[in-house]
PDB file of all heavy atoms in Angstrom:
ATOM      1  N   GLU A 219     114.206  97.344 109.004  1.00 92.00           N
ATOM      2  CA  GLU A 219     114.382  98.602 108.293  1.00 92.00           C
ATOM      3  C   GLU A 219     115.710  98.581 107.527  1.00 92.00           C
ATOM      4  O   GLU A 219     116.647  97.889 107.931  1.00 92.00           O
ATOM      5  CB  GLU A 219     114.401  99.771 109.293  1.00 92.00           C
ATOM      6  CG  GLU A 219     113.168  99.817 110.172  1.00 92.00           C
ATOM      7  CD  GLU A 219     113.405 100.551 111.477  1.00 92.00           C
ATOM      8  OE1 GLU A 219     114.381 100.210 112.167  1.00 92.00           O
ATOM      9  OE2 GLU A 219     112.615 101.455 111.811  1.00 92.00           O
ATOM     10  N   PRO A 220     115.812  99.315 106.437  1.00 94.00           N
ATOM     11  CA  PRO A 220     117.111  99.436 105.763  1.00 94.00           C
ATOM     12  C   PRO A 220     118.104 100.145 106.668  1.00 94.00           C
ATOM     13  O   PRO A 220     117.764 101.138 107.329  1.00 94.00           O
ATOM     14  CB  PRO A 220     116.788 100.264 104.510  1.00 94.00           C
ATOM     15  CG  PRO A 220     115.489 100.932 104.796  1.00 94.00           C
ATOM     16  CD  PRO A 220     114.745 100.061 105.740  1.00 94.00           C
ATOM     17  N   LEU A 221     119.318  99.638 106.703  1.00 95.00           N
ATOM     18  CA  LEU A 221     120.360 100.161 107.586  1.00 95.00           C
ATOM     19  C   LEU A 221     121.457 100.815 106.772  1.00 95.00           C
ATOM     20  O   LEU A 221     121.755 100.399 105.645  1.00 95.00           O
ATOM     21  CB  LEU A 221     120.948  99.035 108.436  1.00 95.00           C
ATOM     22  CG  LEU A 221     119.953  98.230 109.290  1.00 95.00           C
ATOM     23  CD1 LEU A 221     120.663  97.048 109.940  1.00 95.00           C
ATOM     24  CD2 LEU A 221     119.316  99.119 110.348  1.00 95.00           C
ATOM     25  N   VAL A 222     122.088 101.836 107.358  1.00 95.00           N
ATOM     26  CA  VAL A 222     123.215 102.493 106.722  1.00 95.00           C
ATOM     27  C   VAL A 222     124.298 102.689 107.777  1.00 95.00           C
ATOM     28  O   VAL A 222     124.015 103.030 108.929  1.00 95.00           O
ATOM     29  CB  VAL A 222     122.790 103.846 106.094  1.00 95.00           C
ATOM     30  CG1 VAL A 222     122.185 104.785 107.121  1.00 95.00           C
ATOM     31  CG2 VAL A 222     123.956 104.512 105.389  1.00 95.00           C
ATOM     32  N   ILE A 223     125.547 102.432 107.387  1.00 94.00           N
ATOM     33  CA  ILE A 223     126.649 102.474 108.340  1.00 94.00           C
ATOM     34  C   ILE A 223     127.890 103.044 107.663  1.00 94.00           C
ATOM     35  O   ILE A 223     128.162 102.745 106.498  1.00 94.00           O
ATOM     36  CB  ILE A 223     126.926 101.053 108.894  1.00 94.00           C
ATOM     37  CG1 ILE A 223     127.972 101.084 110.008  1.00 94.00           C
ATOM     38  CG2 ILE A 223     127.371 100.103 107.776  1.00 94.00           C
ATOM     39  CD1 ILE A 223     128.117  99.727 110.713  1.00 94.00           C
ATOM     40  N   PRO A 224     128.658 103.891 108.356  1.00 91.00           N
ATOM     41  CA  PRO A 224     129.933 104.354 107.786  1.00 91.00           C
ATOM     42  C   PRO A 224     131.020 103.314 108.026  1.00 91.00           C
ATOM     43  O   PRO A 224     130.835 102.389 108.833  1.00 91.00           O
ATOM     44  CB  PRO A 224     130.215 105.626 108.594  1.00 91.00           C
ATOM     45  CG  PRO A 224     129.618 105.341 109.932  1.00 91.00           C
ATOM     46  CD  PRO A 224     128.383 104.500 109.670  1.00 91.00           C
ATOM     47  N   ILE A 225     132.131 103.447 107.328  1.00 87.00           N
ATOM     48  CA  ILE A 225     133.290 102.608 107.635  1.00 87.00           C
ATOM     49  C   ILE A 225     133.931 103.179 108.881  1.00 87.00           C
ATOM     50  O   ILE A 225     134.530 104.254 108.865  1.00 87.00           O
ATOM     51  CB  ILE A 225     134.279 102.569 106.462  1.00 87.00           C
ATOM     52  CG1 ILE A 225     133.627 101.876 105.268  1.00 87.00           C
ATOM     53  CG2 ILE A 225     135.552 101.835 106.862  1.00 87.00           C
ATOM     54  CD1 ILE A 225     134.534 101.726 104.070  1.00 87.00           C
ATOM     55  N   MET A 226     133.770 102.486 109.975  1.00 81.00           N
ATOM     56  CA  MET A 226     134.188 103.008 111.276  1.00 81.00           C
ATOM     57  C   MET A 226     135.476 102.351 111.748  1.00 81.00           C
ATOM     58  O   MET A 226     135.798 101.227 111.366  1.00 81.00           O
ATOM     59  CB  MET A 226     133.081 102.773 112.301  1.00 81.00           C
ATOM     60  CG  MET A 226     132.634 101.327 112.412  1.00 81.00           C
ATOM     61  SD  MET A 226     131.368 101.038 113.687  1.00 81.00           S
ATOM     62  CE  MET A 226     129.949 101.802 112.938  1.00 81.00           C
ATOM     63  N   GLY A 227     136.221 103.104 112.558  1.00 67.00           N
ATOM     64  CA  GLY A 227     137.398 102.521 113.194  1.00 67.00           C
ATOM     65  C   GLY A 227     138.692 103.261 112.975  1.00 67.00           C
ATOM     66  O   GLY A 227     139.563 103.298 113.847  1.00 67.00           O
ATOM     67  N   SER A 228     138.873 103.887 111.812  1.00 64.00           N
ATOM     68  CA  SER A 228     140.175 104.475 111.511  1.00 64.00           C
ATOM     69  C   SER A 228     140.286 105.923 111.979  1.00 64.00           C
ATOM     70  O   SER A 228     141.384 106.463 112.083  1.00 64.00           O
ATOM     71  CB  SER A 228     140.430 104.427 109.999  1.00 64.00           C
ATOM     72  OG  SER A 228     139.461 105.199 109.328  1.00 64.00           O
ATOM     73  N   GLY A 229     139.159 106.563 112.252  1.00 61.00           N
ATOM     74  CA  GLY A 229     139.183 107.972 112.633  1.00 61.00           C
ATOM     75  C   GLY A 229     139.396 108.142 114.118  1.00 61.00           C
ATOM     76  O   GLY A 229     140.497 108.028 114.640  1.00 61.00           O
ATOM     77  N   ARG A 230     138.297 108.417 114.840  1.00 60.00           N
ATOM     78  CA  ARG A 230     138.398 108.674 116.277  1.00 60.00           C
ATOM     79  C   ARG A 230     138.770 107.419 117.056  1.00 60.00           C
ATOM     80  O   ARG A 230     139.248 107.506 118.170  1.00 60.00           O
ATOM     81  CB  ARG A 230     137.063 109.236 116.797  1.00 60.00           C
ATOM     82  CG  ARG A 230     136.578 110.471 116.021  1.00 60.00           C
ATOM     83  CD  ARG A 230     137.595 111.596 116.056  1.00 60.00           C
ATOM     84  NE  ARG A 230     137.229 112.719 115.210  1.00 60.00           N
ATOM     85  CZ  ARG A 230     137.471 112.826 113.923  1.00 60.00           C
ATOM     86  NH1 ARG A 230     138.011 111.813 113.276  1.00 60.00           N
ATOM     87  NH2 ARG A 230     137.166 113.930 113.260  1.00 60.00           N
ATOM     88  N   HIS A 231     138.560 106.231 116.467  1.00 59.00           N
ATOM     89  CA  HIS A 231     138.936 104.992 117.152  1.00 59.00           C
ATOM     90  C   HIS A 231     140.448 104.771 117.140  1.00 59.00           C
ATOM     91  O   HIS A 231     140.965 104.011 117.944  1.00 59.00           O
ATOM     92  CB  HIS A 231     138.248 103.794 116.491  1.00 59.00           C
ATOM     93  CG  HIS A 231     136.782 103.711 116.766  1.00 59.00           C
ATOM     94  ND1 HIS A 231     135.880 104.637 116.284  1.00 59.00           N
ATOM     95  CD2 HIS A 231     136.042 102.807 117.466  1.00 59.00           C
ATOM     96  CE1 HIS A 231     134.655 104.312 116.674  1.00 59.00           C
ATOM     97  NE2 HIS A 231     134.725 103.212 117.382  1.00 59.00           N
ATOM     98  N   ARG A 232     141.125 105.370 116.161  1.00 63.00           N
ATOM     99  CA  ARG A 232     142.593 105.285 116.059  1.00 63.00           C
ATOM    100  C   ARG A 232     143.103 103.864 115.835  1.00 63.00           C
ATOM    101  O   ARG A 232     144.221 103.524 116.219  1.00 63.00           O
ATOM    102  CB  ARG A 232     143.250 105.870 117.322  1.00 63.00           C
ATOM    103  CG  ARG A 232     142.862 107.315 117.601  1.00 63.00           C
ATOM    104  CD  ARG A 232     143.610 107.875 118.771  1.00 63.00           C
ATOM    105  NE  ARG A 232     143.329 109.296 118.954  1.00 63.00           N
ATOM    106  CZ  ARG A 232     144.045 110.109 119.726  1.00 63.00           C
ATOM    107  NH1 ARG A 232     145.086 109.637 120.385  1.00 63.00           N
ATOM    108  NH2 ARG A 232     143.730 111.381 119.843  1.00 63.00           N
ATOM    109  N   ILE A 233     142.302 103.024 115.226  1.00 69.00           N
ATOM    110  CA  ILE A 233     142.739 101.655 114.956  1.00 69.00           C
ATOM    111  C   ILE A 233     143.632 101.655 113.728  1.00 69.00           C
ATOM    112  O   ILE A 233     143.272 102.205 112.686  1.00 69.00           O
ATOM    113  CB  ILE A 233     141.524 100.734 114.739  1.00 69.00           C
ATOM    114  CG1 ILE A 233     140.634 100.731 115.986  1.00 69.00           C
ATOM    115  CG2 ILE A 233     141.967  99.317 114.409  1.00 69.00           C
ATOM    116  CD1 ILE A 233     139.350  99.947 115.817  1.00 69.00           C
ATOM    117  N   ASN A 234     144.781 101.035 113.840  1.00 67.00           N
ATOM    118  CA  ASN A 234     145.781 101.074 112.774  1.00 67.00           C
ATOM    119  C   ASN A 234     145.510  99.971 111.746  1.00 67.00           C
ATOM    120  O   ASN A 234     146.254  99.002 111.619  1.00 67.00           O
ATOM    121  CB  ASN A 234     147.191 100.924 113.357  1.00 67.00           C
ATOM    122  CG  ASN A 234     148.256 101.164 112.311  1.00 67.00           C
ATOM    123  OD1 ASN A 234     148.020 101.843 111.314  1.00 67.00           O
ATOM    124  ND2 ASN A 234     149.441 100.602 112.535  1.00 67.00           N
ATOM    125  N   LEU A 235     144.406 100.146 111.012  1.00 70.00           N
ATOM    126  CA  LEU A 235     144.038  99.226 109.943  1.00 70.00           C
ATOM    127  C   LEU A 235     143.586 100.050 108.753  1.00 70.00           C
ATOM    128  O   LEU A 235     143.104 101.169 108.912  1.00 70.00           O
ATOM    129  CB  LEU A 235     142.893  98.307 110.383  1.00 70.00           C
ATOM    130  CG  LEU A 235     143.159  97.331 111.537  1.00 70.00           C
ATOM    131  CD1 LEU A 235     141.852  96.687 111.974  1.00 70.00           C
ATOM    132  CD2 LEU A 235     144.155  96.263 111.128  1.00 70.00           C
ATOM    133  N   ASN A 236     143.762  99.496 107.546  1.00 73.00           N
ATOM    134  CA  ASN A 236     143.236 100.224 106.400  1.00 73.00           C
ATOM    135  C   ASN A 236     141.726 100.039 106.328  1.00 73.00           C
ATOM    136  O   ASN A 236     141.148  99.154 106.955  1.00 73.00           O
ATOM    137  CB  ASN A 236     143.925  99.788 105.094  1.00 73.00           C
ATOM    138  CG  ASN A 236     143.660  98.329 104.756  1.00 73.00           C
ATOM    139  OD1 ASN A 236     142.528  97.878 104.740  1.00 73.00           O
ATOM    140  ND2 ASN A 236     144.734  97.588 104.476  1.00 73.00           N
ATOM    141  N   ARG A 237     141.088 100.870 105.551  1.00 74.00           N
ATOM    142  CA  ARG A 237     139.627 100.875 105.519  1.00 74.00           C
ATOM    143  C   ARG A 237     139.053  99.625 104.858  1.00 74.00           C
ATOM    144  O   ARG A 237     137.910  99.270 105.090  1.00 74.00           O
ATOM    145  CB  ARG A 237     139.143 102.160 104.818  1.00 74.00           C
ATOM    146  CG  ARG A 237     139.261 103.362 105.734  1.00 74.00           C
ATOM    147  CD  ARG A 237     139.052 104.673 105.005  1.00 74.00           C
ATOM    148  NE  ARG A 237     138.906 105.780 105.917  1.00 74.00           N
ATOM    149  CZ  ARG A 237     139.908 106.355 106.590  1.00 74.00           C
ATOM    150  NH1 ARG A 237     141.135 105.903 106.433  1.00 74.00           N
ATOM    151  NH2 ARG A 237     139.688 107.362 107.408  1.00 74.00           N
ATOM    152  N   PHE A 238     139.847  98.941 104.066  1.00 78.00           N
ATOM    153  CA  PHE A 238     139.385  97.686 103.474  1.00 78.00           C
ATOM    154  C   PHE A 238     139.232  96.636 104.576  1.00 78.00           C
ATOM    155  O   PHE A 238     138.259  95.877 104.592  1.00 78.00           O
ATOM    156  CB  PHE A 238     140.373  97.215 102.411  1.00 78.00           C
ATOM    157  CG  PHE A 238     139.808  96.193 101.479  1.00 78.00           C
ATOM    158  CD1 PHE A 238     139.237  96.574 100.272  1.00 78.00           C
ATOM    159  CD2 PHE A 238     139.823  94.850 101.796  1.00 78.00           C
ATOM    160  CE1 PHE A 238     138.705  95.639  99.408  1.00 78.00           C
ATOM    161  CE2 PHE A 238     139.303  93.905 100.939  1.00 78.00           C
ATOM    162  CZ  PHE A 238     138.742  94.293  99.743  1.00 78.00           C
ATOM    163  N   GLU A 239     140.190  96.603 105.510  1.00 81.00           N
ATOM    164  CA  GLU A 239     140.106  95.654 106.623  1.00 81.00           C
ATOM    165  C   GLU A 239     138.943  96.002 107.549  1.00 81.00           C
ATOM    166  O   GLU A 239     138.268  95.119 108.084  1.00 81.00           O
ATOM    167  CB  GLU A 239     141.420  95.653 107.399  1.00 81.00           C
ATOM    168  CG  GLU A 239     142.606  95.114 106.620  1.00 81.00           C
ATOM    169  CD  GLU A 239     143.923  95.297 107.343  1.00 81.00           C
ATOM    170  OE1 GLU A 239     144.310  96.459 107.609  1.00 81.00           O
ATOM    171  OE2 GLU A 239     144.566  94.282 107.665  1.00 81.00           O
ATOM    172  N   LEU A 240     138.699  97.308 107.733  1.00 84.00           N
ATOM    173  CA  LEU A 240     137.584  97.726 108.580  1.00 84.00           C
ATOM    174  C   LEU A 240     136.252  97.381 107.938  1.00 84.00           C
ATOM    175  O   LEU A 240     135.307  96.986 108.625  1.00 84.00           O
ATOM    176  CB  LEU A 240     137.684  99.226 108.854  1.00 84.00           C
ATOM    177  CG  LEU A 240     138.918  99.658 109.658  1.00 84.00           C
ATOM    178  CD1 LEU A 240     139.023 101.171 109.703  1.00 84.00           C
ATOM    179  CD2 LEU A 240     138.867  99.087 111.075  1.00 84.00           C
ATOM    180  N   MET A 241     136.179  97.529 106.623  1.00 86.00           N
ATOM    181  CA  MET A 241     134.965  97.125 105.926  1.00 86.00           C
ATOM    182  C   MET A 241     134.743  95.618 106.073  1.00 86.00           C
ATOM    183  O   MET A 241     133.606  95.147 106.207  1.00 86.00           O
ATOM    184  CB  MET A 241     135.048  97.503 104.448  1.00 86.00           C
ATOM    185  CG  MET A 241     133.739  97.261 103.699  1.00 86.00           C
ATOM    186  SD  MET A 241     133.887  97.319 101.899  1.00 86.00           S
ATOM    187  CE  MET A 241     134.660  95.741 101.568  1.00 86.00           C
ATOM    188  N   HIS A 242     135.839  94.868 106.066  1.00 87.00           N
ATOM    189  CA  HIS A 242     135.749  93.415 106.242  1.00 87.00           C
ATOM    190  C   HIS A 242     135.081  93.076 107.569  1.00 87.00           C
ATOM    191  O   HIS A 242     134.212  92.186 107.631  1.00 87.00           O
ATOM    192  CB  HIS A 242     137.153  92.812 106.199  1.00 87.00           C
ATOM    193  CG  HIS A 242     137.226  91.403 106.715  1.00 87.00           C
ATOM    194  ND1 HIS A 242     136.826  90.315 105.981  1.00 87.00           N
ATOM    195  CD2 HIS A 242     137.632  90.910 107.916  1.00 87.00           C
ATOM    196  CE1 HIS A 242     136.993  89.211 106.688  1.00 87.00           C
ATOM    197  NE2 HIS A 242     137.475  89.541 107.864  1.00 87.00           N
ATOM    198  N   ASP A 243     135.435  93.790 108.651  1.00 89.00           N
ATOM    199  CA  ASP A 243     134.832  93.512 109.954  1.00 89.00           C
ATOM    200  C   ASP A 243     133.336  93.802 109.948  1.00 89.00           C
ATOM    201  O   ASP A 243     132.543  93.064 110.539  1.00 89.00           O
ATOM    202  CB  ASP A 243     135.521  94.355 111.034  1.00 89.00           C
ATOM    203  CG  ASP A 243     136.932  93.873 111.328  1.00 89.00           C
ATOM    204  OD1 ASP A 243     137.273  92.751 110.907  1.00 89.00           O
ATOM    205  OD2 ASP A 243     137.690  94.620 111.970  1.00 89.00           O
ATOM    206  N   ILE A 244     132.947  94.882 109.279  1.00 92.00           N
ATOM    207  CA  ILE A 244     131.516  95.215 109.191  1.00 92.00           C
ATOM    208  C   ILE A 244     130.765  94.134 108.434  1.00 92.00           C
ATOM    209  O   ILE A 244     129.745  93.615 108.895  1.00 92.00           O
ATOM    210  CB  ILE A 244     131.325  96.589 108.512  1.00 92.00           C
ATOM    211  CG1 ILE A 244     131.918  97.707 109.368  1.00 92.00           C
ATOM    212  CG2 ILE A 244     129.846  96.857 108.252  1.00 92.00           C
ATOM    213  CD1 ILE A 244     131.948  99.055 108.668  1.00 92.00           C
ATOM    214  N   VAL A 245     131.271  93.787 107.259  1.00 92.00           N
ATOM    215  CA  VAL A 245     130.579  92.813 106.405  1.00 92.00           C
ATOM    216  C   VAL A 245     130.556  91.435 107.050  1.00 92.00           C
ATOM    217  O   VAL A 245     129.519  90.756 107.075  1.00 92.00           O
ATOM    218  CB  VAL A 245     131.248  92.752 105.019  1.00 92.00           C
ATOM    219  CG1 VAL A 245     130.634  91.644 104.165  1.00 92.00           C
ATOM    220  CG2 VAL A 245     131.107  94.091 104.304  1.00 92.00           C
ATOM    221  N   GLN A 246     131.698  91.016 107.581  1.00 91.00           N
ATOM    222  CA  GLN A 246     131.774  89.680 108.171  1.00 91.00           C
ATOM    223  C   GLN A 246     130.799  89.536 109.335  1.00 91.00           C
ATOM    224  O   GLN A 246     130.050  88.556 109.423  1.00 91.00           O
ATOM    225  CB  GLN A 246     133.197  89.393 108.646  1.00 91.00           C
ATOM    226  CG  GLN A 246     133.381  87.986 109.194  1.00 91.00           C
ATOM    227  CD  GLN A 246     134.765  87.756 109.750  1.00 91.00           C
ATOM    228  OE1 GLN A 246     135.242  88.545 110.565  1.00 91.00           O
ATOM    229  NE2 GLN A 246     135.424  86.699 109.301  1.00 91.00           N
ATOM    230  N   SER A 247     130.797  90.520 110.234  1.00 92.00           N
ATOM    231  CA  SER A 247     129.900  90.429 111.392  1.00 92.00           C
ATOM    232  C   SER A 247     128.438  90.502 110.957  1.00 92.00           C
ATOM    233  O   SER A 247     127.583  89.814 111.523  1.00 92.00           O
ATOM    234  CB  SER A 247     130.221  91.545 112.395  1.00 92.00           C
ATOM    235  OG  SER A 247     130.013  92.826 111.819  1.00 92.00           O
ATOM    236  N   PHE A 248     128.151  91.301 109.943  1.00 94.00           N
ATOM    237  CA  PHE A 248     126.768  91.420 109.460  1.00 94.00           C
ATOM    238  C   PHE A 248     126.300  90.123 108.822  1.00 94.00           C
ATOM    239  O   PHE A 248     125.189  89.655 109.101  1.00 94.00           O
ATOM    240  CB  PHE A 248     126.660  92.570 108.461  1.00 94.00           C
ATOM    241  CG  PHE A 248     125.319  92.671 107.789  1.00 94.00           C
ATOM    242  CD1 PHE A 248     124.230  93.189 108.462  1.00 94.00           C
ATOM    243  CD2 PHE A 248     125.145  92.222 106.476  1.00 94.00           C
ATOM    244  CE1 PHE A 248     122.972  93.267 107.850  1.00 94.00           C
ATOM    245  CE2 PHE A 248     123.904  92.309 105.860  1.00 94.00           C
ATOM    246  CZ  PHE A 248     122.818  92.825 106.550  1.00 94.00           C
ATOM    247  N   VAL A 249     127.116  89.526 107.970  1.00 91.00           N
ATOM    248  CA  VAL A 249     126.728  88.293 107.282  1.00 91.00           C
ATOM    249  C   VAL A 249     126.491  87.179 108.293  1.00 91.00           C
ATOM    250  O   VAL A 249     125.530  86.405 108.173  1.00 91.00           O
ATOM    251  CB  VAL A 249     127.804  87.892 106.253  1.00 91.00           C
ATOM    252  CG1 VAL A 249     127.529  86.503 105.692  1.00 91.00           C
ATOM    253  CG2 VAL A 249     127.845  88.909 105.118  1.00 91.00           C
ATOM    254  N   GLN A 250     127.344  87.093 109.290  1.00 91.00           N
ATOM    255  CA  GLN A 250     127.162  86.066 110.316  1.00 91.00           C
ATOM    256  C   GLN A 250     125.876  86.299 111.098  1.00 91.00           C
ATOM    257  O   GLN A 250     125.152  85.345 111.422  1.00 91.00           O
ATOM    258  CB  GLN A 250     128.368  86.049 111.254  1.00 91.00           C
ATOM    259  CG  GLN A 250     129.635  85.516 110.607  1.00 91.00           C
ATOM    260  CD  GLN A 250     130.839  85.600 111.525  1.00 91.00           C
ATOM    261  OE1 GLN A 250     130.838  86.356 112.506  1.00 91.00           O
ATOM    262  NE2 GLN A 250     131.877  84.853 111.199  1.00 91.00           N
TER     263      GLN A 250
END
Side-chain angles (χ1 to χ4, degrees):
E219 304 156 308
L221 304 173
V222 58
I223 186 172
I225 294 183
M226 55 177 72
S228 62
R230 306 302 174 275
H231 287 67
R232 302 185 175 194
I233 300 175
N234 188 24
L235 296 170
N236 64 51
R237 284 169 169 76
F238 197 94
E239 294 172 299
L240 296 172
M241 187 194 76
H242 165 78
D243 289 346
I244 295 171
V245 174
Q246 184 184 51
S247 62
F248 173 76
V249 171
Q250 290 176 341

